[in-house]
Amino acid sequence: MAANNSLADDDLLKRNIRFLVLQVLVMLFLFINLLLIVTFFQKEYFYTSARYILFAITLLSDSLMLIVSNILLIFTHFRIDIQGWLCIIICVVPLWYLTVTPVTLTAMTLERYVAICMPLRHGDLCSTRNTMHGILIIHGLSSVPCLIILTTIFVSASLSFYTTYWRCLIELVLLQAWQHHLRSAVYQFQFLILCIVILFSYIKIMKVAKAASGEDKKSTQKGLRTVLLHGFQLLLCFIQMWCPFIDAAVLQINYGLYEIVRYLNFVVFYLAPRCLSPLIYGLRDEVFYHALKNVAYLGLYKRNIM
């Protein structure tokens, strides 16, 4: 009995340590995003330029996605049950914003394609007004998988489902196996289209890079690297689509193992892809990097004065 209690205490300690480490990573990520968002609003150039506006959209959507996903993780960690109707409302955000970032990444890739391959039309095609219309289109396209999944829930769930207390996991909200398969098919089709668009843009930019020379070649090469990073980030987001299937399979085996796998998936496939955005535009972009340094310096200077 004592040995069993000791093992249970060790498991609880490891579980709590994983949870605390994860919370530290989430807070760090949100702090960095907040710093980048503040930097974005410091200069008019940033919020009148298509590439930076789209960058800000990824920061905001990633932050919202992470906050809500972390709330669900907290519910799972403390094993809190909530009513079905409230769980569905909460799940709308991760279901919707799961694809906002990949679609925005594709839009950013197209912006680089226009800037490098059609520089004379860049000002018209990527104007602030067109960018705002693009944001509406991004959210409209991203809502399609969410609406399909919600429709399957409303069709299959009984009235008692909405008043029953559940552990708020999307794997449990989707009651039928065919719902999981449909969700997978919709996401994979959407990501296939996005991958084709990014691949097309990369090939076109590569052709321009071969023909360019001097400063144009340097700028084009930088655009190629940016598109490659977008592609890698999109790949991580695509792999993330398989996480629910892994989670659902492990959940059938052992709940303790499910929690470990869920934490690992959260770090590798939720946090990692969204940490690349600050790297791509927050550090690699010279203009934004200098503005970021100024914001950080002013923040430290004010703190020292106080």
Side-chain angles (χ1 to χ4, degrees):
M1 181 69 76
N4 290 336
N5 289 337
S6 177
L7 287 173
D9 290 340
D10 288 342
D11 289 341
L12 181 60
L13 179 61
K14 290 178 182 177
R15 185 169 173 265
N16 289 333
I17 289 174
R18 286 196 304 268
F19 179 74
L20 289 174
V21 169
L22 186 59
Q23 294 310 304
V24 170
L25 290 174
V26 169
M27 291 304 108
L28 178 62
F29 175 84
L30 290 175
F31 172 76
I32 293 172
N33 268 16
L34 178 61
L35 186 61
L36 293 170
I37 291 169
V38 170
T39 304
F40 170 78
F41 286 104
Q42 291 300 306
K43 287 190 176 183
E44 184 180 354
Y45 172 72
F46 292 145
Y47 50 86
T48 55
S49 176
R51 61 187 300 194
Y52 294 112
I53 293 173
L54 293 173
F55 172 52
I57 293 300
T58 63
L59 292 175
L60 291 169
S61 64
D62 285 349
S63 298
L64 181 60
M65 170 78 175
L66 187 58
I67 289 170
V68 177
S69 298
N70 192 52
I71 290 172
L72 292 176
L73 264 178
I74 291 171
F75 286 168
T76 302
H77 179 78
F78 292 104
R79 302 183 179 180
I80 299 172
D81 296 339
I82 60 176
Q83 285 186 310
W85 66 269
L86 181 58
C87 179
I88 290 175
I89 291 174
I90 295 174
C91 285
V92 166
V93 174
L95 284 173
W96 190 355
Y97 280 85
L98 186 65
T99 54
V100 167
T101 292
V103 176
T104 307
L105 285 173
T106 307
M108 293 169 76
T109 300
L110 287 174
E111 187 275 332
R112 287 295 82 201
Y113 162 73
V114 173
I116 294 170
C117 300
M118 298 184 291
L120 297 179
R121 299 190 62 191
H122 182 262
D124 292 331
L125 293 176
C126 300
S127 64
T128 304
R129 182 177 179 179
N130 286 341
T131 303
M132 295 304 167
H133 292 160
I135 291 170
L136 293 177
I137 293 172
I138 287 169
H139 282 77
L141 292 174
S142 301
S143 69
V144 173
C146 177
L147 291 174
I148 292 174
I149 293 167
L150 289 177
T151 301
T152 65
I153 294 172
F154 295 143
V155 167
S156 61
S158 62
L159 291 177
S160 61
F161 170 83
Y162 300 101
T163 55
T164 304
Y165 283 82
W166 297 80
R167 190 68 47 84
C168 194
L169 302 170
I170 189 64
E171 292 79 24
L172 298 180
V173 173
L174 298 178
L175 303 174
Q176 307 294 330
W178 65 267
Q179 292 173 306
H180 293 277
H181 296 312
L182 178 62
R183 178 177 62 156
S184 174
V186 170
Y187 280 137
Q188 288 183 48
F189 176 75
Q190 187 181 51
F191 273 73
L192 176 63
I193 300 299
L194 300 182
C195 288
I196 290 172
V197 172
I198 287 183
L199 184 61
F200 167 81
S201 301
Y202 181 79
I203 292 172
K204 289 292 185 180
I205 294 173
M206 189 166 57
K207 288 181 179 179
V208 173
K210 288 182 178 179
S213 60
E215 288 296 321
D216 289 338
K217 191 175 186 66
K218 184 178 178 181
S219 175
T220 306
Q221 291 291 345
K222 187 175 181 181
L224 275 174
R225 289 193 295 270
T226 300
V227 172
L228 275 177
L229 284 171
H230 285 332
F232 177 68
Q233 194 174 2
L234 189 65
L235 176 63
L236 291 178
C237 292
F238 178 75
I239 295 173
Q240 182 182 325
M241 296 298 101
W242 288 94
C243 290
F245 291 95
I246 298 172
D247 293 344
V250 175
L251 184 60
Q252 300 299 320
I253 301 171
N254 182 273
Y255 188 81
L257 182 60
Y258 164 78
E259 287 189 331
I260 296 174
V261 171
R262 186 173 171 81
Y263 285 137
L264 289 174
N265 285 341
F266 190 83
V267 172
V268 177
F269 300 116
Y270 280 77
L271 277 177
R274 288 158 178 80
C275 288
L276 285 176
S277 288
L279 173 64
I280 294 171
Y281 279 94
L283 300 178
R284 291 183 68 248
D285 189 281
E286 293 181 7
V287 177
F288 201 91
Y289 177 67
H290 288 304
L292 180 61
K293 283 203 305 184
N294 290 335
V295 170
Y297 174 77
L298 288 174
L300 289 173
Y301 178 72
K302 289 179 180 179
R303 183 178 178 182
N304 290 332
I305 290 177
M306 294 174 65

